[in-house]
């Protein structure tokens, strides 16, 4: 996004750029679905093209992050604590970084998920991305929260989203355990170093949901302070 556009957004609300950032973060994560589909087909050219898209999305998120940090107003009235907003931004950014790391590691070793766990993994990945989608939805409610003075039905709505984020994270923890057990049962059939990296990929994909839950936790803290 052009810098002037970002500055224009700040003129309207300090919240809008934060929402733009989480939108870009979620977009980064969504690209992992077609990326893993390409690796499953061993279409490494297509996988590399999508990895570059993931990398570009992460860079775009970084540009937004830097602009927010530089331009977020100081010393004037803010509807929410500046430190809270910057902390939310940091937690959001970690999600995009993790998505980029996952794609880079898969391409770097031309890793392919064993066919025995591929379907379960896709379900697991999509559930983790459900978490980033919900984090985005919750952050997009910040304007309404501020307009209502962090009171009433809007607070209930966001608290329900945060609770749902916790449930999704619980789901992904359980799914990761099952996947690790399945991988353990077949690991002797595969290159041991690849298997080691596959365990790491399972952990990192779960990290998307973990980090989305952290975004929800920071938002919950903001609710408590207001």
């Amino acid at each position: 996004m052009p810098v002037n556009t970002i500055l224009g957004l700040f003129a309207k609300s300090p919240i809008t750029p934060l929402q733009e950032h989480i939108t870009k973060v979620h977009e980064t994560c969504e690209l992992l679905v077609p990326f893993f589909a390409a690796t499953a087909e061993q279409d490494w050219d297509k996988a590399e093209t999508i990895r570059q898209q993931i990398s570009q999305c992460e860079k775009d998120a970084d540009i937004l992050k830097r602009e927010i940090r530089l331009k977020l107003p100081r010393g004037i009235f803010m509807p929410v604590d500046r430190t809270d907003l910057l902390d939310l931004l940091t937690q959001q950014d970690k999600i995009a970084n993790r998505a980029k790391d996952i794609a880079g590691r898969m391409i770097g070793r031309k890793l392919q998920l064993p066919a025995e766990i591929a379907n379960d993994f896709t379900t697991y990945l999509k559930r983790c991305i459900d978490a980033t989608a919900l984090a985005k939805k919750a952050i997009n409610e910040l304007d309404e929260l501020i307009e209502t003075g962090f009171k009433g039905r809007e607070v209930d709505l966001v608290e329900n989203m945060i609770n749902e984020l916790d449930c999704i994270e619980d789901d992904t923890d359980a799914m990761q355990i099952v996947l690790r057990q399945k991988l353990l049962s077949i690991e002797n059939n595969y290159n041991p170093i690849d298997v080691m990296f596959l365990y790491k990929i399972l952990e990192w994909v779960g990290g998307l949901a973990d980090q989305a839950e952290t975004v929800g936790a920071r938002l919950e803290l903001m609710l408590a302070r207001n």
Side-chain angles (χ1 to χ4, degrees):
M1 173 178 287
V3 171
N4 286 342
T5 303
I6 298 170
L7 295 179
L9 292 173
F10 272 118
K12 298 174 184 174
S13 164
I15 304 302
T16 305
L18 192 73
Q19 294 168 336
E20 295 285 345
H21 182 266
I22 191 68
T23 297
K24 185 59 67 176
V25 166
H26 176 57
E27 184 182 334
T28 308
C29 295
E30 283 187 306
L31 284 167
L32 286 173
V33 176
F35 171 80
F36 273 99
T39 66
E41 296 168 357
Q42 297 194 57
D43 187 343
W44 295 108
D45 288 340
K46 183 177 180 181
E48 171 57 19
T49 297
I50 300 172
R51 186 204 64 78
Q52 290 175 9
Q53 292 171 356
I54 290 170
S55 179
Q56 186 59 54
C57 275
E58 191 274 338
K59 287 178 184 175
D60 291 344
D62 268 350
I63 291 170
L64 280 165
K65 177 186 67 177
R66 284 195 291 273
E67 289 299 325
I68 292 169
R69 286 176 173 170
L70 287 171
K71 305 298 182 184
L72 194 63
R74 293 175 183 271
I76 67 172
F77 174 76
M78 287 275 287
V80 291
D81 189 281
R82 185 177 188 275
T83 303
D84 285 344
L85 286 181
L86 291 176
D87 188 36
L88 261 179
L89 176 66
T90 297
Q91 302 309 322
Q92 290 179 183
D93 200 59
K94 288 179 180 178
I95 300 173
N97 290 341
R98 181 58 76 206
K100 184 188 73 172
D101 291 344
I102 291 167
R105 183 60 54 85
M106 290 293 293
I107 283 285
R109 289 193 59 83
K110 285 189 164 52
L111 276 174
Q112 187 179 17
L113 288 161
E116 297 93 327
I117 66 170
N119 288 338
D120 286 346
F121 175 83
T122 300
T123 303
Y124 170 60
L125 172 64
K126 289 181 177 178
R127 190 59 173 154
C128 290
I129 295 173
D130 284 346
T132 66
L134 191 55
K136 172 190 163 187
K137 190 175 178 182
I139 294 298
N140 282 339
E141 294 296 326
L142 259 175
D143 318 69
E144 298 294 328
L145 282 169
I146 291 170
E147 285 181 13
T148 59
F150 290 87
K151 294 176 181 175
R153 180 182 170 278
E154 194 63 28
V155 172
D156 295 337
L157 178 67
V158 173
E159 285 181 343
N160 287 337
M161 288 183 192
I162 293 168
N163 291 334
E164 190 179 345
L165 262 176
D166 292 341
C167 292
I168 294 175
E169 198 274 337
D170 287 344
D171 286 350
T172 60
D173 279 352
M175 295 166 87
Q176 185 182 156
I177 290 169
V178 172
L179 276 166
R180 292 173 70 90
Q181 289 170 340
K182 287 188 176 181
L183 182 56
L184 175 65
S185 70
I186 59 173
E187 66 180 18
N188 290 336
N189 301 328
Y190 294 91
N191 179 306
I193 297 178
D194 283 350
V195 169
M196 182 184 70
F197 280 105
L198 285 171
Y199 279 116
K200 184 59 71 177
I201 292 297
L202 293 181
E203 179 184 333
W204 283 0
V205 170
L208 300 176
D210 293 344
Q211 197 57 40
E213 185 190 36
T214 301
V215 169
R218 295 296 192 275
L219 188 54
E220 188 172 38
L221 188 61
M222 191 182 291
L223 291 177
R225 286 176 177 168
N226 289 277

